[in-house]
Amino acid sequence: MENKDLIKLAIEAKQNAHVPYSRFKVGAALLTKSGKVYQGANMECSSYGMTVCAERVALVKALYDGEKEFEKIAVVGGKEDELTYTTPCGACRQFLADFGVELEVIMGYMEDNELKEKVFKLKELLPESFEL
Ligand code: THU
């Protein structure tokens, strides 16, 4: 799947965010090596620290289905439209790293009806990641 198509699925996922506190919606779309896509959006809690990020919602859905090998993840976010890049937080980077630091992380946003993207390997975003 092309990066732009995965970004579009992340934008779609963002609509399902539950963000009564920050109003900052994040969407993620995680592509498995078997070709399936799992979408996630951030889910906020009144006890703020219990909020679950979009990336981890997508990852946990995939893990529940027995998927453990991932190719790439697209992440988008913003208060209204995607106005700039949204980068995965440290906790999400570590959770994703547990399944392989070769994962491609695609950050995207929309500018004048055109999709912009920036791509990293997870190992660039989380060097020397913790391993058990
Ligand atoms: N958020 C994500 O969903 N993913 C990230 O990687 C960074 C932050 C969410 C958490 C919270 O609901 C909102 O963005 C503002 O921090």
Side-chain angles (χ1 to χ4, degrees), residues 18-19 22 24-26 41-44 51-55 75 86-89 92:
H18 172 69
V19 290
S22 75
F24 191 96
K25 293 183 176 181
V26 182
N42 49 334
M43 301 295 155
E44 296 187 342
T51 290
V52 187
C53 294
E55 299 90 324
V75 183
T86 296
T87 76
C89 79
C92 290

Side-chain angles (χ1 to χ4, degrees), residues 3 6-11 14 24-30 40 53-56 58 72-78 82 84-89 92 96 103-109 116-118 125:
N3 289 353
L6 202 61
I7 293 171
K8 283 183 195 155
L9 289 171
I11 291 172
K14 192 172 78 102
F24 191 96
K25 293 183 176 181
V26 182
L30 177 65
C53 294
E55 299 90 324
R56 276 179 285 154
K72 44 192 176 181
I73 186 167
V75 183
V76 302
E82 297 75 33
T84 186
Y85 295 111
T86 296
T87 76
C89 79
C92 290
L96 288 165
L103 181 78
E104 274 191 8
V105 181
I106 303 147
M107 298 159 199
Y109 76 100
K116 303 279 182 194
E117 66 174 68
K118 197 156 80 158
L125 298 176

